[in-house]
């Protein structure tokens, strides 16, 4: 396995391997089983490139950025075990190239959920994703369904600028308590982790009630109260259609429940398909 923080070296590596197909797995490091699943989903006979870059532009909260876990040595070791071919870990100077993208118009569906509550977040994601795709020109790129709205943005960018790029969607990996894996879980103590178990159970309970014919808004208020009684502060809890992110109505077979909440100042998101 090779690794570099130099853009020049990355280009040399790409040129040397120009006859091969590439799968890109973009990450911010602190790799957990969710990331490893993304790596596993890279099609066989493609070169696997994992990028590791904590993209300041997508953090709307500087404390969240400062606290983001950095575990580069163990990340590299995990990549090695998972047969990654190249780890690209640009340094801070990479930020300059991200700012070349101007006049960014995100589609309407980026204005809700995290787009509404995290000012500038998706512009930051847009810039890094487009830049990585521009540089590496992958044939495939893997993204997790946990970040559902991000996945829609990635698909939008791919369809607009990279018609030959296949986006591989990877299902959310949960621990045995059903908490969706996230690097931010490392910042929770044992007690808070137990509280985090309620998030998925809450989503499951709402799903069942909706399927049984209950009104979402009524059920939502009840569940928010339950979560808040466990000191989980709900930022949003919404029921939206999968492809447009419009508020769900009519045939809801293609819809999902989306939640963002805080436990001990740590922001977690999750979603569940109806
Ligand atoms: O999902 C993430 O870890 C990040 O948003 C991504 C896609 C690596 C862009 O920085």
């Amino acid at each position: 396995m090779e690794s570099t923080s130099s853009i020049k070296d990355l280009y040399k590596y790409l040129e040397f391997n120009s006859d091969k197909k590439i799968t890109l797995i973009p990450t911010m490091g602190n790799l957990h089983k969710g990331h490893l699943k993304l790596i596993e989903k890279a099609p066989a006979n493609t070169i696997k490139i994992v990028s590791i870059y904590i993209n300041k532009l997508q953090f709307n909260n500087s404390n969240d950025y400062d606290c983001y876990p950095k575990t580069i040595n163990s990340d590299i070791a995990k990549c090695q075990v998972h047969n990654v071919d190249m780890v690209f870990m640009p340094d801070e100077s990479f930020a300059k190239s991200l700012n070349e993208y101007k006049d960014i118009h995100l589609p309407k569906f980026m204005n809700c959920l995290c787009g509404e509550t995290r000012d500038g977040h998706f512009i930051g994601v847009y810039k890094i994703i487009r830049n990585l795709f521009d540089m590496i020109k992958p044939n495939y790129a893997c993204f997790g369904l946990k970040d559902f709205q991000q996945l829609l943005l990635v698909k939008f960018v791919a369809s607009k600028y990279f018609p030959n790029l296949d986006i591989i969607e990877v299902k959310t990996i949960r621990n045995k308590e059903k908490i969706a894996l996230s690097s931010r879980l490392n910042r929770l103590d044992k007690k808070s982790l137990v509280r985090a178990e309620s998030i998925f159970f809450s989503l499951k309970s709402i799903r069942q009630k909706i399927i049984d014919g209950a009104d979402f808004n009524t059920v939502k208020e009840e569940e928010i109260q339950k979560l808040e009684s466990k000191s989980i502060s709900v930022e949003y809890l919404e029921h939206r259609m999968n492809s447009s992110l419009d508020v769900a109505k009519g045939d809801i077979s293609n819809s999902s429940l989306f939640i963002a909440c805080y436990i001990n100042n740590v922001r977690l998101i999750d979603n569940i398909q109806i």
Side-chain angles (χ1 to χ4, degrees), residues 2 22 44 55 75 107 109 156 178 187 200 220 255 268:
E2 296 195 35
I22 293 174
N55 175 26
D75 292 346
F109 61 77
F156 164 81
K178 301 286 181 200
R187 289 165 50 199
F200 182 69
K220 167 179 163 168
S255 67
L268 300 173

PDB file of all heavy atoms in Angstrom, residues 2 22 44 55 75 107 109 156 178 187 200 220 255 268:
ATOM      1  N   GLU A   2       0.431   2.253  -0.766  1.00  0.00           N
ATOM      2  CA  GLU A   2       1.164   3.524  -0.757  1.00  0.00           C
ATOM      3  C   GLU A   2       0.354   4.564   0.007  1.00  0.00           C
ATOM      4  O   GLU A   2      -0.874   4.428   0.143  1.00  0.00           O
ATOM      5  CB  GLU A   2       1.383   3.996  -2.186  1.00  0.00           C
ATOM      6  CG  GLU A   2       2.272   3.043  -2.959  1.00  0.00           C
ATOM      7  CD  GLU A   2       2.788   3.649  -4.240  1.00  0.00           C
ATOM      8  OE1 GLU A   2       3.044   4.861  -4.271  1.00  0.00           O
ATOM      9  OE2 GLU A   2       2.915   2.889  -5.210  1.00  0.00           O
ATOM     10  N   ILE A  22     -10.550   2.908 -10.980  1.00  0.00           N
ATOM     11  CA  ILE A  22     -10.308   3.401  -9.613  1.00  0.00           C
ATOM     12  C   ILE A  22     -11.606   3.492  -8.821  1.00  0.00           C
ATOM     13  O   ILE A  22     -12.629   3.956  -9.325  1.00  0.00           O
ATOM     14  CB  ILE A  22      -9.676   4.807  -9.675  1.00  0.00           C
ATOM     15  CG1 ILE A  22      -8.278   4.709 -10.274  1.00  0.00           C
ATOM     16  CG2 ILE A  22      -9.635   5.475  -8.291  1.00  0.00           C
ATOM     17  CD1 ILE A  22      -7.615   6.024 -10.509  1.00  0.00           C
ATOM     18  N   ALA A  44     -14.220  -5.434  -7.340  1.00  0.00           N
ATOM     19  CA  ALA A  44     -12.939  -6.153  -7.494  1.00  0.00           C
ATOM     20  C   ALA A  44     -12.200  -5.606  -8.714  1.00  0.00           C
ATOM     21  O   ALA A  44     -12.809  -5.044  -9.618  1.00  0.00           O
ATOM     22  CB  ALA A  44     -13.232  -7.642  -7.675  1.00  0.00           C
ATOM     23  N   ASN A  55     -12.289  18.122   6.598  1.00  0.00           N
ATOM     24  CA  ASN A  55     -12.598  19.282   5.772  1.00  0.00           C
ATOM     25  C   ASN A  55     -13.261  20.387   6.601  1.00  0.00           C
ATOM     26  O   ASN A  55     -14.462  20.369   6.841  1.00  0.00           O
ATOM     27  CB  ASN A  55     -13.543  18.793   4.651  1.00  0.00           C
ATOM     28  CG  ASN A  55     -14.060  19.908   3.781  1.00  0.00           C
ATOM     29  OD1 ASN A  55     -13.415  20.951   3.648  1.00  0.00           O
ATOM     30  ND2 ASN A  55     -15.232  19.685   3.182  1.00  0.00           N
ATOM     31  N   ASP A  75      -5.585   4.568  11.312  1.00  0.00           N
ATOM     32  CA  ASP A  75      -6.331   4.581  10.036  1.00  0.00           C
ATOM     33  C   ASP A  75      -5.509   3.925   8.928  1.00  0.00           C
ATOM     34  O   ASP A  75      -6.014   3.110   8.150  1.00  0.00           O
ATOM     35  CB  ASP A  75      -6.665   6.022   9.605  1.00  0.00           C
ATOM     36  CG  ASP A  75      -7.670   6.686  10.520  1.00  0.00           C
ATOM     37  OD1 ASP A  75      -8.317   5.976  11.316  1.00  0.00           O
ATOM     38  OD2 ASP A  75      -7.811   7.920  10.452  1.00  0.00           O
ATOM     39  N   PRO A 107     -29.062  22.055  -5.264  1.00  0.00           N
ATOM     40  CA  PRO A 107     -30.479  21.819  -5.551  1.00  0.00           C
ATOM     41  C   PRO A 107     -31.348  22.090  -4.320  1.00  0.00           C
ATOM     42  O   PRO A 107     -30.857  22.082  -3.190  1.00  0.00           O
ATOM     43  CB  PRO A 107     -30.532  20.348  -5.934  1.00  0.00           C
ATOM     44  CG  PRO A 107     -29.190  19.780  -5.662  1.00  0.00           C
ATOM     45  CD  PRO A 107     -28.226  20.865  -5.379  1.00  0.00           C
ATOM     46  N   PHE A 109     -33.393  20.407  -2.673  1.00  0.00           N
ATOM     47  CA  PHE A 109     -33.475  19.434  -1.580  1.00  0.00           C
ATOM     48  C   PHE A 109     -32.326  19.546  -0.578  1.00  0.00           C
ATOM     49  O   PHE A 109     -32.311  18.862   0.440  1.00  0.00           O
ATOM     50  CB  PHE A 109     -33.586  17.993  -2.111  1.00  0.00           C
ATOM     51  CG  PHE A 109     -32.417  17.536  -2.950  1.00  0.00           C
ATOM     52  CD1 PHE A 109     -31.227  17.162  -2.364  1.00  0.00           C
ATOM     53  CD2 PHE A 109     -32.530  17.454  -4.328  1.00  0.00           C
ATOM     54  CE1 PHE A 109     -30.147  16.729  -3.128  1.00  0.00           C
ATOM     55  CE2 PHE A 109     -31.467  17.026  -5.106  1.00  0.00           C
ATOM     56  CZ  PHE A 109     -30.281  16.665  -4.505  1.00  0.00           C
ATOM     57  N   PHE A 156     -25.966  14.082  -7.179  1.00  0.00           N
ATOM     58  CA  PHE A 156     -26.236  15.272  -7.988  1.00  0.00           C
ATOM     59  C   PHE A 156     -24.938  15.741  -8.673  1.00  0.00           C
ATOM     60  O   PHE A 156     -24.916  15.980  -9.874  1.00  0.00           O
ATOM     61  CB  PHE A 156     -26.834  16.379  -7.092  1.00  0.00           C
ATOM     62  CG  PHE A 156     -26.811  17.744  -7.694  1.00  0.00           C
ATOM     63  CD1 PHE A 156     -27.784  18.130  -8.613  1.00  0.00           C
ATOM     64  CD2 PHE A 156     -25.824  18.665  -7.344  1.00  0.00           C
ATOM     65  CE1 PHE A 156     -27.755  19.404  -9.179  1.00  0.00           C
ATOM     66  CE2 PHE A 156     -25.784  19.930  -7.898  1.00  0.00           C
ATOM     67  CZ  PHE A 156     -26.752  20.301  -8.822  1.00  0.00           C
ATOM     68  N   LYS A 178     -27.474  -1.203  18.028  1.00  0.00           N
ATOM     69  CA  LYS A 178     -28.183  -0.573  16.906  1.00  0.00           C
ATOM     70  C   LYS A 178     -27.870   0.909  16.723  1.00  0.00           C
ATOM     71  O   LYS A 178     -28.591   1.632  16.025  1.00  0.00           O
ATOM     72  CB  LYS A 178     -29.721  -0.747  17.023  1.00  0.00           C
ATOM     73  CG  LYS A 178     -30.168  -2.198  17.058  1.00  0.00           C
ATOM     74  CD  LYS A 178     -30.039  -2.787  15.685  1.00  0.00           C
ATOM     75  CE  LYS A 178     -30.489  -4.220  15.610  1.00  0.00           C
ATOM     76  NZ  LYS A 178     -29.966  -4.912  14.459  1.00  0.00           N
ATOM     77  N   ARG A 187     -16.680  10.344  21.194  1.00  0.00           N
ATOM     78  CA  ARG A 187     -16.692  11.450  22.163  1.00  0.00           C
ATOM     79  C   ARG A 187     -17.742  11.250  23.249  1.00  0.00           C
ATOM     80  O   ARG A 187     -17.903  12.094  24.119  1.00  0.00           O
ATOM     81  CB  ARG A 187     -16.930  12.772  21.420  1.00  0.00           C
ATOM     82  CG  ARG A 187     -15.711  13.168  20.598  1.00  0.00           C
ATOM     83  CD  ARG A 187     -15.994  14.243  19.591  1.00  0.00           C
ATOM     84  NE  ARG A 187     -16.682  15.386  20.143  1.00  0.00           N
ATOM     85  CZ  ARG A 187     -17.338  16.277  19.417  1.00  0.00           C
ATOM     86  NH1 ARG A 187     -17.389  16.145  18.110  1.00  0.00           N
ATOM     87  NH2 ARG A 187     -17.935  17.293  19.989  1.00  0.00           N
ATOM     88  N   PHE A 200     -32.360   4.913  17.507  1.00  0.00           N
ATOM     89  CA  PHE A 200     -32.848   3.967  16.504  1.00  0.00           C
ATOM     90  C   PHE A 200     -34.199   3.371  16.937  1.00  0.00           C
ATOM     91  O   PHE A 200     -35.103   3.204  16.117  1.00  0.00           O
ATOM     92  CB  PHE A 200     -31.814   2.865  16.283  1.00  0.00           C
ATOM     93  CG  PHE A 200     -32.211   1.867  15.231  1.00  0.00           C
ATOM     94  CD1 PHE A 200     -32.261   2.238  13.904  1.00  0.00           C
ATOM     95  CD2 PHE A 200     -32.546   0.564  15.568  1.00  0.00           C
ATOM     96  CE1 PHE A 200     -32.634   1.322  12.918  1.00  0.00           C
ATOM     97  CE2 PHE A 200     -32.918  -0.359  14.594  1.00  0.00           C
ATOM     98  CZ  PHE A 200     -32.959   0.020  13.274  1.00  0.00           C
ATOM     99  N   LYS A 220     -44.548  12.141  16.299  1.00  0.00           N
ATOM    100  CA  LYS A 220     -43.269  12.859  16.403  1.00  0.00           C
ATOM    101  C   LYS A 220     -43.162  13.584  17.751  1.00  0.00           C
ATOM    102  O   LYS A 220     -42.161  13.469  18.449  1.00  0.00           O
ATOM    103  CB  LYS A 220     -43.181  13.860  15.237  1.00  0.00           C
ATOM    104  CG  LYS A 220     -42.084  14.888  15.348  1.00  0.00           C
ATOM    105  CD  LYS A 220     -42.103  15.788  14.131  1.00  0.00           C
ATOM    106  CE  LYS A 220     -41.305  17.054  14.404  1.00  0.00           C
ATOM    107  NZ  LYS A 220     -41.046  17.839  13.209  1.00  0.00           N
ATOM    108  N   SER A 255     -40.116   6.500   1.330  1.00  0.00           N
ATOM    109  CA  SER A 255     -39.816   7.625   2.216  1.00  0.00           C
ATOM    110  C   SER A 255     -38.981   7.135   3.391  1.00  0.00           C
ATOM    111  O   SER A 255     -38.831   5.927   3.593  1.00  0.00           O
ATOM    112  CB  SER A 255     -41.114   8.251   2.718  1.00  0.00           C
ATOM    113  OG  SER A 255     -41.781   7.341   3.568  1.00  0.00           O
ATOM    114  N   LEU A 268     -25.476  13.736  16.540  1.00  0.00           N
ATOM    115  CA  LEU A 268     -25.594  12.450  15.854  1.00  0.00           C
ATOM    116  C   LEU A 268     -26.744  12.520  14.862  1.00  0.00           C
ATOM    117  O   LEU A 268     -27.753  13.195  15.120  1.00  0.00           O
ATOM    118  CB  LEU A 268     -25.867  11.332  16.869  1.00  0.00           C
ATOM    119  CG  LEU A 268     -24.801  11.116  17.949  1.00  0.00           C
ATOM    120  CD1 LEU A 268     -25.284  10.093  18.969  1.00  0.00           C
ATOM    121  CD2 LEU A 268     -23.470  10.677  17.343  1.00  0.00           C
TER     122      LEU A 268
END
